[in-house]
Amino acid sequence: MPINFTAPQNRACFKQPPISVRVLHVFKSDYHQSKGGIENAIRHMTIASARLGAQNTILCIGDNTLSKHYNEYKGNDAGLQQNAATRVIVCPATLSYDSLAFSRIMVGRFKSLLREHDLVHYHFPFPQQDMMHLCFKPQIPSVLTYHSDIVRQRILYEFYKPLLQAFLSRVDAIVATSENYMLSSRILRRFKKRAWTIPLGLDEAYYPRADPWALQQWEARVGRDFFLFIGVLRYYKGLDILLQAASKTAQRFVIAGIGPMQDYLRSVARRLGLQNVVFSGSISETDKAALFHLCRALVLPSHMRSEAFGLALVEGAMFGRPLISCEIGTGTSFINQHKYTGLVVRRSDPEALLNAVHTLARNPQLCETYGKNARKRYLERFTADIQARQYLALYGRLLGLSQDGL
């Protein structure tokens, strides 16, 4: 029976010494190609596991096709950088459509890289990896982190489903990022007996502290005690719902990030005549720290299952901010616990979202309590070190190492 490492009785594995393992991560892009949540999760996963003995390679598709050892993270502890190098091999796309991509060159690179590694770690969804795994039948153990169901491409999914099910049947371990998602995903429920639960984590050492100059600049632009959204502006983020809520209040909102929905959202804001919403555009990590320092709460109004985890909520908790999110049956309600770390409201409901905003706006003490609880929950469940130790424990078991050898 697979072990659920989020269970309290398994916390002893965190104290186990590190292991040396060469891990090949496979995904459609990496953090230097795309700033998405999965890419950021892989980034922090590899940073933390490297400090515990893992040697990580990321094989991905992208425009910058030069292979590199990325060792450029500039956070609070410069001494960490020497152990954070990750080899990233980027292959040019042969075909691409919407969020799907295929690289002919990646096929050959994958085959050769299997010989250099002890374990292959896939990140779903990325259909090309399914085909490569079934074709080459790797002789090394395989792990799949199941980040999200396929929600949007429903017609294509019906054709893809047989390939996916064959792939999931043949990997050695499947990891869900929360128990919520495990129970609510039709696909994952079929493989529950072979699945593990390991939440995603972030390493705060690689986030800069709020810079006084940045704080001054942002406070002059947006003030304080606003409600903050940070993320890629995608269709499932529910930002049109947030704009509807914003049209009925004088509370201020900052929407930080860029993405495919940005032009549409700006046009909605203009049509509604919103003077209390600021679109910041792309921001740096220093800007992000400043915005978290100045805001009253983080708002993640995502209303579709495509928001499988909600790493922005972990960032908000890390910075000690109260959280507002919607109930969508995914990891968002695992991170944000209603009336403990913040408020969870009905999805696609501007009035419910607005009520949550007003509740926090009118209760500074409640905000402080939720923020402290969110920070506490981050330290207990969502640090990159906790995540890395859980994955290394799983790697060790798949490689045949005893518990004493972890």
Side-chain angles (χ1 to χ4, degrees):
M1 176 69 69
I3 296 176
N4 177 350
F5 271 117
T6 63
Q9 61 266 30
N10 295 311
R11 293 298 180 86
C13 72
F14 296 169
K15 301 179 181 180
Q16 297 296 334
I19 62 172
S20 178
V21 57
R22 299 170 299 173
V23 183
L24 174 62
H25 293 267
V26 183
F27 190 55
K28 63 183 178 182
S29 60
D30 94 300
Y31 188 74
H32 296 82
Q33 305 287 328
S34 171
K35 306 297 184 183
I38 296 177
E39 291 86 351
N40 196 30
I42 297 171
R43 173 196 182 206
H44 282 265
M45 186 184 301
T46 57
I47 288 172
S49 64
R51 294 202 299 271
L52 297 173
Q55 300 175 44
N56 296 294
T57 299
I58 299 175
L59 179 64
C60 62
I61 297 175
D63 298 326
N64 183 356
T65 57
L66 295 177
S67 299
K68 296 181 179 180
H69 283 76
Y70 285 116
N71 192 10
E72 62 188 17
Y73 306 111
K74 299 177 181 178
N76 296 336
D77 189 347
L80 295 176
Q81 295 181 39
Q82 61 183 352
N83 296 320
T86 296
R87 181 187 182 196
V88 179
I89 298 176
V90 185
C91 303
T94 305
L95 299 170
S96 61
Y97 172 73
D98 198 7
S99 60
L100 301 175
F102 174 82
S103 171
R104 179 181 56 82
I105 291 176
M106 177 182 275
V107 176
R109 297 307 300 270
F110 174 76
K111 183 178 180 181
S112 63
L113 286 167
L114 288 175
R115 296 191 290 268
E116 302 174 14
H117 293 82
D118 304 310
L119 181 142
V120 57
H121 189 152
Y122 302 109
H123 296 270
F124 181 86
F126 177 38
Q128 179 168 344
Q129 67 188 357
D130 308 23
M131 294 184 287
M132 294 191 301
H133 184 81
L134 294 173
C135 178
F136 294 114
K137 299 179 177 63
Q139 298 304 300
I140 57 177
S142 55
V143 173
L144 169 68
T145 297
Y146 192 98
H147 291 276
S148 173
D149 289 333
I150 294 176
V151 178
R152 192 178 186 185
Q153 298 92 350
R154 294 183 179 179
I155 296 176
L156 290 175
Y157 175 71
E158 292 303 315
F159 293 96
Y160 167 57
K161 187 159 59 174
L163 172 65
L164 169 61
Q165 292 177 343
F167 175 52
L168 294 177
S169 298
R170 287 166 175 78
V171 293
D172 296 309
I174 300 169
V175 177
T177 56
S178 71
E179 189 69 20
N180 297 35
Y181 212 81
M182 173 91 71
L183 297 175
S184 63
S185 168
R186 292 181 180 180
I187 289 292
L188 280 179
R189 284 203 303 266
R190 294 190 56 189
F191 297 93
K192 186 177 179 180
K193 291 184 179 180
R194 298 175 48 241
W196 307 54
T197 302
I198 301 178
L200 302 179
L202 295 175
D203 190 336
E204 65 180 325
Y206 292 93
Y207 283 79
R209 295 185 177 92
D211 177 84
W213 184 87
L215 282 170
Q216 182 180 4
Q217 295 298 311
W218 279 108
E219 185 170 5
R221 181 178 175 185
V222 299
R224 288 179 173 267
D225 292 332
F226 50 84
F227 289 82
L228 175 66
F229 168 89
I230 286 184
V232 180
L233 310 188
R234 302 191 189 278
Y235 70 96
Y236 58 83
K237 295 292 186 178
L239 290 169
D240 53 340
I241 301 161
L242 179 64
L243 294 179
Q244 292 177 48
S247 70
K248 301 176 181 180
T249 181
Q251 295 298 320
R252 291 169 292 113
F253 300 83
V254 173
I255 297 176
I258 59 175
M261 296 292 289
Q262 59 189 9
D263 292 340
Y264 168 74
L265 292 169
R266 287 175 183 270
S267 69
V268 171
R270 287 193 298 270
R271 176 169 53 81
L272 293 174
L274 300 181
Q275 302 298 314
N276 57 335
V277 177
V278 173
F279 290 89
S280 74
S282 180
I283 61 170
S284 67
E285 294 296 291
T286 300
D287 293 330
K288 181 186 291 187
L291 289 171
F292 270 119
H293 184 83
L294 294 169
C295 76
R296 178 173 290 269
L298 178 79
V299 183
L300 186 69
S302 299
H303 63 307
M304 299 178 68
R305 284 184 56 79
S306 298
E307 190 71 81
F309 190 72
L311 208 57
L313 292 171
V314 177
E315 288 185 321
M318 183 179 71
F319 280 96
R321 286 294 174 261
L323 312 172
I324 298 175
S325 60
C326 299
E327 182 54 71
I328 51 177
T330 70
T332 60
S333 298
F334 171 65
I335 302 167
N336 183 22
Q337 297 192 322
H338 185 53
K339 293 188 176 181
Y340 179 70
T341 60
L343 299 171
V344 180
V345 303
R346 293 186 303 275
R347 66 178 180 177
S348 303
D349 188 335
E351 289 296 333
L353 196 59
L354 183 61
N355 288 338
V357 166
H358 283 162
T359 297
L360 296 186
R362 295 164 181 166
N363 294 276
Q365 187 59 49
L366 186 62
C367 283
E368 184 177 352
T369 299
Y370 286 166
K372 288 180 179 178
N373 291 343
R375 172 70 181 171
K376 181 174 182 286
R377 186 158 172 77
Y378 161 74
L379 293 172
E380 292 176 345
R381 306 301 295 270
F382 301 116
T383 71
D385 183 70
I386 291 174
Q387 175 191 223
R389 291 181 184 276
Q390 291 174 322
Y391 270 111
L392 285 175
L394 173 56
Y395 294 165
R397 289 177 180 271
L398 294 177
L399 290 167
L401 301 176
S402 66
Q403 183 72 10
D404 292 337
L406 295 182

